[in-house]
mmCIF file of all heavy atoms in Angstrom:
data_model
loop_
_atom_site.group_PDB
_atom_site.id
_atom_site.type_symbol
_atom_site.label_atom_id
_atom_site.label_comp_id
_atom_site.label_asym_id
_atom_site.label_seq_id
_atom_site.Cartn_x
_atom_site.Cartn_y
_atom_site.Cartn_z
ATOM 1 N N ILE A 20 28.309 59.878 -43.545
ATOM 2 C CA ILE A 20 28.583 60.146 -42.111
ATOM 3 C C ILE A 20 28.897 58.922 -41.369
ATOM 4 O O ILE A 20 28.033 58.010 -41.441
ATOM 5 C CB ILE A 20 27.528 60.948 -41.448
ATOM 6 C CG1 ILE A 20 27.344 62.279 -42.231
ATOM 7 C CG2 ILE A 20 27.893 61.269 -40.015
ATOM 8 C CD1 ILE A 20 26.109 63.039 -41.675
ATOM 9 N N LEU A 21 30.035 58.784 -40.717
ATOM 10 C CA LEU A 21 30.413 57.771 -39.880
ATOM 11 C C LEU A 21 29.975 58.060 -38.456
ATOM 12 O O LEU A 21 30.525 59.070 -37.931
ATOM 13 C CB LEU A 21 31.891 57.351 -40.003
ATOM 14 C CG LEU A 21 32.377 56.234 -39.168
ATOM 15 C CD1 LEU A 21 31.754 54.901 -39.466
ATOM 16 C CD2 LEU A 21 33.857 56.191 -39.204
ATOM 17 N N GLU A 22 29.226 57.191 -37.801
ATOM 18 C CA GLU A 22 28.892 57.421 -36.442
ATOM 19 C C GLU A 22 29.640 56.300 -35.751
ATOM 20 O O GLU A 22 29.445 55.086 -35.939
ATOM 21 C CB GLU A 22 27.363 57.119 -36.227
ATOM 22 C CG GLU A 22 26.816 57.173 -34.957
ATOM 23 C CD GLU A 22 25.441 56.976 -34.770
ATOM 24 O OE1 GLU A 22 24.977 55.693 -34.765
ATOM 25 O OE2 GLU A 22 24.578 57.993 -34.742
ATOM 26 N N ARG A 23 30.421 56.683 -34.692
ATOM 27 C CA ARG A 23 31.275 55.802 -33.854
ATOM 28 C C ARG A 23 30.840 56.026 -32.336
ATOM 29 O O ARG A 23 30.945 57.089 -31.823
ATOM 30 C CB ARG A 23 32.696 56.099 -34.205
ATOM 31 C CG ARG A 23 33.498 55.236 -33.354
ATOM 32 C CD ARG A 23 35.009 55.513 -33.778
ATOM 33 N NE ARG A 23 35.977 54.689 -32.927
ATOM 34 C CZ ARG A 23 37.072 55.091 -32.584
ATOM 35 N NH1 ARG A 23 37.644 56.177 -32.916
ATOM 36 N NH2 ARG A 23 37.809 54.234 -31.842
ATOM 37 N N ILE A 24 30.575 54.899 -31.790
ATOM 38 C CA ILE A 24 30.098 54.881 -30.346
ATOM 39 C C ILE A 24 31.421 54.235 -29.672
ATOM 40 O O ILE A 24 31.763 53.100 -29.963
ATOM 41 C CB ILE A 24 28.928 54.164 -30.043
ATOM 42 C CG1 ILE A 24 27.688 54.848 -30.742
ATOM 43 C CG2 ILE A 24 28.685 53.962 -28.550
ATOM 44 C CD1 ILE A 24 26.461 54.148 -30.612
ATOM 45 N N VAL A 25 32.029 54.983 -28.740
ATOM 46 C CA VAL A 25 33.134 54.466 -27.980
ATOM 47 C C VAL A 25 32.700 54.302 -26.575
ATOM 48 O O VAL A 25 32.362 55.327 -25.840
ATOM 49 C CB VAL A 25 34.262 55.499 -27.989
ATOM 50 C CG1 VAL A 25 35.557 54.981 -27.191
ATOM 51 C CG2 VAL A 25 34.703 55.780 -29.540
ATOM 52 N N ALA A 26 32.459 53.141 -26.128
ATOM 53 C CA ALA A 26 31.912 52.800 -24.728
ATOM 54 C C ALA A 26 32.309 51.461 -24.325
ATOM 55 O O ALA A 26 32.494 50.510 -25.234
ATOM 56 C CB ALA A 26 30.437 52.987 -24.780
ATOM 57 N N PRO A 27 32.442 51.112 -23.107
ATOM 58 C CA PRO A 27 32.864 49.910 -22.608
ATOM 59 C C PRO A 27 31.610 48.792 -22.772
ATOM 60 O O PRO A 27 30.519 49.273 -22.857
ATOM 61 C CB PRO A 27 33.116 49.979 -21.203
ATOM 62 C CG PRO A 27 32.403 51.194 -20.768
ATOM 63 C CD PRO A 27 32.402 52.035 -21.967
ATOM 64 N N THR A 28 32.085 47.575 -23.038
ATOM 65 C CA THR A 28 30.945 46.566 -23.133
ATOM 66 C C THR A 28 30.264 46.181 -21.737
ATOM 67 O O THR A 28 29.208 45.641 -21.759
ATOM 68 C CB THR A 28 31.477 45.260 -23.833
ATOM 69 O OG1 THR A 28 32.489 44.778 -23.131
ATOM 70 C CG2 THR A 28 31.952 45.600 -25.327
ATOM 71 N N ALA A 29 30.980 46.413 -20.830
ATOM 72 C CA ALA A 29 30.508 46.132 -19.388
ATOM 73 C C ALA A 29 31.002 47.197 -18.498
ATOM 74 O O ALA A 29 32.102 47.778 -18.585
ATOM 75 C CB ALA A 29 30.938 44.804 -18.966
ATOM 76 N N VAL A 30 30.272 47.527 -17.483
ATOM 77 C CA VAL A 30 30.652 48.571 -16.452
ATOM 78 C C VAL A 30 30.329 47.866 -15.017
ATOM 79 O O VAL A 30 29.518 47.135 -14.889
ATOM 80 C CB VAL A 30 29.940 49.849 -16.568
ATOM 81 C CG1 VAL A 30 30.302 50.593 -17.775
ATOM 82 C CG2 VAL A 30 28.453 49.681 -16.498
ATOM 83 N N SER A 31 31.026 48.389 -14.015
ATOM 84 C CA SER A 31 30.864 47.994 -12.682
ATOM 85 C C SER A 31 29.611 48.772 -12.234
ATOM 86 O O SER A 31 29.408 49.907 -12.376
ATOM 87 C CB SER A 31 31.973 48.300 -11.798
ATOM 88 O OG SER A 31 33.150 47.675 -12.255
ATOM 89 N N LEU A 32 28.809 47.965 -11.473
ATOM 90 C CA LEU A 32 27.693 48.651 -10.858
ATOM 91 C C LEU A 32 27.926 49.069 -9.444
ATOM 92 O O LEU A 32 28.824 48.462 -8.777
ATOM 93 C CB LEU A 32 26.508 47.583 -10.733
ATOM 94 C CG LEU A 32 25.935 47.180 -12.183
ATOM 95 C CD1 LEU A 32 24.802 46.074 -11.997
ATOM 96 C CD2 LEU A 32 25.382 48.381 -12.906
ATOM 97 N N PRO A 33 27.233 49.972 -8.884
ATOM 98 C CA PRO A 33 26.084 50.665 -9.310
ATOM 99 C C PRO A 33 26.519 51.893 -10.402
ATOM 100 O O PRO A 33 27.645 52.288 -10.405
ATOM 101 C CB PRO A 33 25.657 51.351 -7.934
ATOM 102 C CG PRO A 33 26.867 51.564 -7.212
ATOM 103 C CD PRO A 33 27.675 50.506 -7.549
ATOM 104 N N VAL A 34 25.614 52.153 -11.277
ATOM 105 C CA VAL A 34 25.831 53.256 -12.192
ATOM 106 C C VAL A 34 24.679 54.374 -11.809
ATOM 107 O O VAL A 34 23.522 54.050 -11.594
ATOM 108 C CB VAL A 34 25.522 52.703 -13.635
ATOM 109 C CG1 VAL A 34 25.458 53.869 -14.605
ATOM 110 C CG2 VAL A 34 26.641 51.713 -13.965
ATOM 111 N N ARG A 35 25.083 55.562 -11.841
ATOM 112 C CA ARG A 35 24.205 56.709 -11.547
ATOM 113 C C ARG A 35 23.665 57.368 -12.820
ATOM 114 O O ARG A 35 24.412 57.359 -13.852
ATOM 115 C CB ARG A 35 24.954 57.870 -10.750
ATOM 116 C CG ARG A 35 25.361 57.394 -9.401
ATOM 117 C CD ARG A 35 26.223 58.536 -8.685
ATOM 118 N NE ARG A 35 27.029 59.393 -9.560
ATOM 119 C CZ ARG A 35 28.180 59.030 -9.990
ATOM 120 N NH1 ARG A 35 28.838 57.970 -9.652
ATOM 121 N NH2 ARG A 35 28.940 59.953 -10.689
ATOM 122 N N ARG A 36 22.412 57.708 -12.814
ATOM 123 C CA ARG A 36 21.854 58.438 -13.948
ATOM 124 C C ARG A 36 22.786 59.697 -14.268
ATOM 125 O O ARG A 36 23.103 60.484 -13.318
ATOM 126 C CB ARG A 36 20.468 58.784 -13.699
ATOM 127 C CG ARG A 36 19.749 59.587 -14.834
ATOM 128 C CD ARG A 36 18.373 59.890 -14.438
ATOM 129 N NE ARG A 36 17.746 60.732 -15.632
ATOM 130 C CZ ARG A 36 17.095 61.819 -15.471
ATOM 131 N NH1 ARG A 36 16.745 62.270 -14.239
ATOM 132 N NH2 ARG A 36 16.653 62.244 -16.518
ATOM 133 N N GLY A 37 23.087 59.834 -15.580
ATOM 134 C CA GLY A 37 23.872 61.022 -15.898
ATOM 135 C C GLY A 37 25.427 60.695 -15.872
ATOM 136 O O GLY A 37 26.218 61.553 -16.176
ATOM 137 N N GLN A 38 25.780 59.525 -15.318
ATOM 138 C CA GLN A 38 27.230 59.130 -15.390
ATOM 139 C C GLN A 38 27.726 58.985 -16.693
ATOM 140 O O GLN A 38 27.227 58.264 -17.541
ATOM 141 C CB GLN A 38 27.383 57.926 -14.480
ATOM 142 C CG GLN A 38 28.832 57.409 -14.301
ATOM 143 C CD GLN A 38 28.978 56.208 -13.409
ATOM 144 O OE1 GLN A 38 28.022 55.985 -12.695
ATOM 145 N NE2 GLN A 38 30.111 55.438 -13.556
ATOM 146 N N VAL A 39 28.945 59.643 -17.049
ATOM 147 C CA VAL A 39 29.514 59.555 -18.420
ATOM 148 C C VAL A 39 30.205 58.132 -18.463
ATOM 149 O O VAL A 39 31.010 57.725 -17.678
ATOM 150 C CB VAL A 39 30.603 60.613 -18.511
ATOM 151 C CG1 VAL A 39 31.319 60.368 -19.888
ATOM 152 C CG2 VAL A 39 30.073 61.958 -18.368
ATOM 153 N N LEU A 40 29.716 57.387 -19.550
ATOM 154 C CA LEU A 40 30.145 56.076 -19.772
ATOM 155 C C LEU A 40 30.784 55.942 -21.226
ATOM 156 O O LEU A 40 31.235 54.805 -21.518
ATOM 157 C CB LEU A 40 29.042 55.075 -19.660
ATOM 158 C CG LEU A 40 28.335 54.925 -18.209
ATOM 159 C CD1 LEU A 40 27.179 54.192 -18.248
ATOM 160 C CD2 LEU A 40 29.433 54.550 -17.281
ATOM 161 N N GLY A 41 30.883 56.886 -21.879
ATOM 162 C CA GLY A 41 31.396 56.795 -23.239
ATOM 163 C C GLY A 41 31.334 58.138 -24.009
ATOM 164 O O GLY A 41 31.054 59.122 -23.501
ATOM 165 N N ARG A 42 31.341 58.029 -25.395
ATOM 166 C CA ARG A 42 31.162 59.099 -26.164
ATOM 167 C C ARG A 42 30.819 58.693 -27.670
ATOM 168 O O ARG A 42 30.953 57.633 -28.079
ATOM 169 C CB ARG A 42 32.582 59.949 -26.374
ATOM 170 C CG ARG A 42 33.624 59.325 -27.167
ATOM 171 C CD ARG A 42 34.939 60.096 -27.137
ATOM 172 N NE ARG A 42 35.969 59.426 -27.912
ATOM 173 C CZ ARG A 42 36.785 58.611 -27.395
ATOM 174 N NH1 ARG A 42 36.791 58.316 -26.086
ATOM 175 N NH2 ARG A 42 37.741 58.161 -28.214
ATOM 176 N N LEU A 43 30.230 59.684 -28.331
ATOM 177 C CA LEU A 43 29.668 59.538 -29.686
ATOM 178 C C LEU A 43 30.471 60.433 -30.574
ATOM 179 O O LEU A 43 30.663 61.592 -30.272
ATOM 180 C CB LEU A 43 28.130 59.867 -29.846
ATOM 181 C CG LEU A 43 27.624 59.933 -31.213
ATOM 182 C CD1 LEU A 43 27.615 58.585 -31.855
ATOM 183 C CD2 LEU A 43 26.274 60.490 -31.076
ATOM 184 N N GLU A 44 31.127 59.836 -31.656
ATOM 185 C CA GLU A 44 31.755 60.670 -32.579
ATOM 186 C C GLU A 44 31.191 60.525 -34.062
ATOM 187 O O GLU A 44 30.797 59.500 -34.388
ATOM 188 C CB GLU A 44 33.282 60.137 -32.709
ATOM 189 C CG GLU A 44 33.997 60.190 -31.383
ATOM 190 C CD GLU A 44 35.391 59.644 -31.591
ATOM 191 O OE1 GLU A 44 35.744 58.956 -32.554
ATOM 192 O OE2 GLU A 44 36.259 59.819 -30.609
ATOM 193 N N LEU A 45 31.013 61.698 -34.569
ATOM 194 C CA LEU A 45 30.551 61.767 -35.903
ATOM 195 C C LEU A 45 31.737 62.315 -36.862
ATOM 196 O O LEU A 45 32.367 63.355 -36.528
ATOM 197 C CB LEU A 45 29.354 62.702 -36.199
ATOM 198 C CG LEU A 45 28.129 62.330 -35.220
ATOM 199 C CD1 LEU A 45 26.964 63.275 -35.461
ATOM 200 C CD2 LEU A 45 27.585 60.992 -35.775
ATOM 201 N N ARG A 46 31.851 61.541 -38.029
ATOM 202 C CA ARG A 46 32.947 61.888 -38.818
ATOM 203 C C ARG A 46 32.528 61.796 -40.315
ATOM 204 O O ARG A 46 31.642 61.097 -40.713
ATOM 205 C CB ARG A 46 34.152 60.900 -38.787
ATOM 206 C CG ARG A 46 34.806 60.910 -37.442
ATOM 207 C CD ARG A 46 35.952 59.868 -37.333
ATOM 208 N NE ARG A 46 36.777 60.120 -36.071
ATOM 209 C CZ ARG A 46 37.734 60.792 -35.798
ATOM 210 N NH1 ARG A 46 38.135 61.576 -36.807
ATOM 211 N NH2 ARG A 46 38.206 60.760 -34.647
ATOM 212 N N VAL A 47 33.148 62.649 -41.176
ATOM 213 C CA VAL A 47 32.961 62.657 -42.570
ATOM 214 C C VAL A 47 34.531 62.517 -42.961
ATOM 215 O O VAL A 47 35.247 63.342 -42.884
ATOM 216 C CB VAL A 47 32.395 63.955 -43.193
ATOM 217 C CG1 VAL A 47 32.563 63.953 -44.670
ATOM 218 C CG2 VAL A 47 30.973 64.114 -42.794
ATOM 219 N N GLY A 48 34.692 61.241 -43.530
ATOM 220 C CA GLY A 48 36.104 60.880 -43.858
ATOM 221 C C GLY A 48 36.966 60.907 -42.634
ATOM 222 O O GLY A 48 36.566 60.376 -41.515
ATOM 223 N N ALA A 49 38.175 61.518 -42.684
ATOM 224 C CA ALA A 49 38.911 61.696 -41.550
ATOM 225 C C ALA A 49 38.605 62.811 -40.647
ATOM 226 O O ALA A 49 39.137 63.030 -39.538
ATOM 227 C CB ALA A 49 40.469 61.787 -41.911
ATOM 228 N N ARG A 50 37.691 63.714 -41.118
ATOM 229 C CA ARG A 50 37.345 65.007 -40.348
ATOM 230 C C ARG A 50 36.343 64.690 -39.253
ATOM 231 O O ARG A 50 35.215 64.245 -39.475
ATOM 232 C CB ARG A 50 36.738 65.905 -41.384
ATOM 233 C CG ARG A 50 36.612 67.471 -40.736
ATOM 234 C CD ARG A 50 36.143 68.405 -41.838
ATOM 235 N NE ARG A 50 34.645 68.449 -41.526
ATOM 236 C CZ ARG A 50 33.832 69.008 -42.448
ATOM 237 N NH1 ARG A 50 34.363 69.570 -43.490
ATOM 238 N NH2 ARG A 50 32.574 69.032 -42.172
ATOM 239 N N LEU A 51 36.648 65.106 -38.079
ATOM 240 C CA LEU A 51 35.675 64.952 -36.930
ATOM 241 C C LEU A 51 34.729 66.089 -36.915
ATOM 242 O O LEU A 51 35.113 67.291 -36.904
ATOM 243 C CB LEU A 51 36.520 64.956 -35.608
ATOM 244 C CG LEU A 51 35.736 64.853 -34.343
ATOM 245 C CD1 LEU A 51 35.028 63.377 -34.225
ATOM 246 C CD2 LEU A 51 36.541 65.013 -33.182
ATOM 247 N N LEU A 52 33.435 65.715 -37.021
ATOM 248 C CA LEU A 52 32.361 66.818 -37.050
ATOM 249 C C LEU A 52 31.939 67.100 -35.692
ATOM 250 O O LEU A 52 31.760 68.282 -35.318
ATOM 251 C CB LEU A 52 31.187 66.251 -37.769
ATOM 252 C CG LEU A 52 31.290 66.026 -39.379
ATOM 253 C CD1 LEU A 52 29.988 65.439 -39.780
ATOM 254 C CD2 LEU A 52 31.721 67.381 -39.973
ATOM 255 N N ALA A 53 31.715 66.129 -34.773
ATOM 256 C CA ALA A 53 31.314 66.284 -33.483
ATOM 257 C C ALA A 53 31.711 65.135 -32.615
ATOM 258 O O ALA A 53 31.905 64.052 -32.983
ATOM 259 C CB ALA A 53 29.784 66.487 -33.453
ATOM 260 N N ARG A 54 31.879 65.619 -31.176
ATOM 261 C CA ARG A 54 32.145 64.509 -30.233
ATOM 262 C C ARG A 54 31.215 64.928 -29.098
ATOM 263 O O ARG A 54 31.315 66.022 -28.608
ATOM 264 C CB ARG A 54 33.596 64.531 -29.759
ATOM 265 C CG ARG A 54 33.927 63.439 -28.727
ATOM 266 C CD ARG A 54 35.345 63.588 -28.413
ATOM 267 N NE ARG A 54 36.172 63.057 -29.472
ATOM 268 C CZ ARG A 54 37.370 63.459 -29.788
ATOM 269 N NH1 ARG A 54 37.962 64.493 -29.158
ATOM 270 N NH2 ARG A 54 38.055 62.928 -30.792
ATOM 271 N N VAL A 55 30.403 63.975 -28.549
ATOM 272 C CA VAL A 55 29.477 64.237 -27.579
ATOM 273 C C VAL A 55 29.603 63.106 -26.450
ATOM 274 O O VAL A 55 29.674 61.954 -26.913
ATOM 275 C CB VAL A 55 27.958 64.332 -28.022
ATOM 276 C CG1 VAL A 55 27.023 64.461 -26.966
ATOM 277 C CG2 VAL A 55 27.849 65.373 -29.141
ATOM 278 N N PRO A 56 29.636 63.501 -25.190
ATOM 279 C CA PRO A 56 29.603 62.437 -24.142
ATOM 280 C C PRO A 56 28.268 61.598 -24.108
ATOM 281 O O PRO A 56 27.249 62.221 -24.400
ATOM 282 C CB PRO A 56 29.764 63.229 -22.759
ATOM 283 C CG PRO A 56 30.319 64.581 -23.234
ATOM 284 C CD PRO A 56 29.776 64.820 -24.579
ATOM 285 N N LEU A 57 28.394 60.384 -23.928
ATOM 286 C CA LEU A 57 27.320 59.488 -23.672
ATOM 287 C C LEU A 57 27.068 59.179 -22.144
ATOM 288 O O LEU A 57 28.201 58.786 -21.585
ATOM 289 C CB LEU A 57 27.426 58.154 -24.386
ATOM 290 C CG LEU A 57 27.443 58.252 -25.927
ATOM 291 C CD1 LEU A 57 27.841 56.997 -26.504
ATOM 292 C CD2 LEU A 57 26.094 58.881 -26.436
ATOM 293 N N VAL A 58 25.877 59.340 -21.636
ATOM 294 C CA VAL A 58 25.773 59.143 -20.220
ATOM 295 C C VAL A 58 24.649 58.139 -19.984
ATOM 296 O O VAL A 58 23.896 57.782 -20.919
ATOM 297 C CB VAL A 58 25.226 60.521 -19.544
ATOM 298 C CG1 VAL A 58 26.353 61.547 -19.664
ATOM 299 C CG2 VAL A 58 23.995 60.982 -20.114
ATOM 300 N N ALA A 59 24.592 57.579 -18.754
ATOM 301 C CA ALA A 59 23.597 56.588 -18.405
ATOM 302 C C ALA A 59 22.269 57.142 -18.423
ATOM 303 O O ALA A 59 21.969 58.252 -17.800
ATOM 304 C CB ALA A 59 23.990 56.019 -17.050
ATOM 305 N N ALA A 60 21.245 56.487 -19.103
ATOM 306 C CA ALA A 60 19.843 57.083 -19.210
ATOM 307 C C ALA A 60 19.184 56.929 -17.857
ATOM 308 O O ALA A 60 18.315 57.662 -17.513
ATOM 309 C CB ALA A 60 19.224 56.421 -20.228
ATOM 310 N N HIS A 61 19.570 55.987 -16.941
ATOM 311 C CA HIS A 61 18.930 55.716 -15.827
ATOM 312 C C HIS A 61 19.913 55.179 -14.834
ATOM 313 O O HIS A 61 20.987 54.619 -15.134
ATOM 314 C CB HIS A 61 17.703 54.813 -15.921
ATOM 315 C CG HIS A 61 17.961 53.538 -16.566
ATOM 316 N ND1 HIS A 61 18.052 53.310 -17.805
ATOM 317 C CD2 HIS A 61 18.233 52.266 -15.933
ATOM 318 C CE1 HIS A 61 18.425 52.072 -18.111
ATOM 319 N NE2 HIS A 61 18.506 51.381 -17.006
ATOM 320 N N SER A 62 19.659 55.162 -13.526
ATOM 321 C CA SER A 62 20.491 54.580 -12.412
ATOM 322 C C SER A 62 20.205 52.937 -12.512
ATOM 323 O O SER A 62 19.123 52.528 -12.776
ATOM 324 C CB SER A 62 20.239 55.124 -11.131
ATOM 325 O OG SER A 62 20.463 56.486 -11.104
ATOM 326 N N GLN A 63 21.276 52.345 -12.127
ATOM 327 C CA GLN A 63 21.155 50.854 -11.963
ATOM 328 C C GLN A 63 22.032 50.371 -10.705
ATOM 329 O O GLN A 63 23.125 50.598 -10.688
ATOM 330 C CB GLN A 63 21.769 50.195 -13.251
ATOM 331 C CG GLN A 63 21.721 48.707 -13.170
ATOM 332 C CD GLN A 63 20.309 48.165 -13.315
ATOM 333 O OE1 GLN A 63 19.596 48.603 -14.205
ATOM 334 N NE2 GLN A 63 19.975 47.204 -12.293
ATOM 335 N N ALA A 64 21.197 49.863 -9.809
ATOM 336 C CA ALA A 64 21.911 49.532 -8.582
ATOM 337 C C ALA A 64 22.628 48.139 -8.750
ATOM 338 O O ALA A 64 22.282 47.408 -9.641
ATOM 339 C CB ALA A 64 20.864 49.422 -7.336
#
């Protein structure tokens, strides 16, 4: 299973808890198994 995290290396502040900042993709070969949004775990002023 290939786990791929697609997210920026830096973001502009402030960031709100729950703000979508990327996605997680799980693949077997070329087949996409799942795609889930990644969100900020906490706020950052």
Side-chain angles (χ1 to χ4, degrees):
I20 298 174
L21 173 66
E22 179 182 82
R23 181 175 176 213
I24 297 173
V25 181
T28 57
V30 294
S31 298
L32 296 178
V34 172
R35 296 177 324 276
R36 180 177 178 224
Q38 180 177 340
V39 177
L40 296 175
R42 68 181 181 272
L43 170 66
E44 297 177 352
L45 296 178
R46 295 180 178 271
V47 171
R50 191 177 93 189
L51 180 65
L52 294 176
R54 181 180 292 145
V55 178
L57 294 174
V58 298
H61 58 276
S62 297
Q63 180 67 51

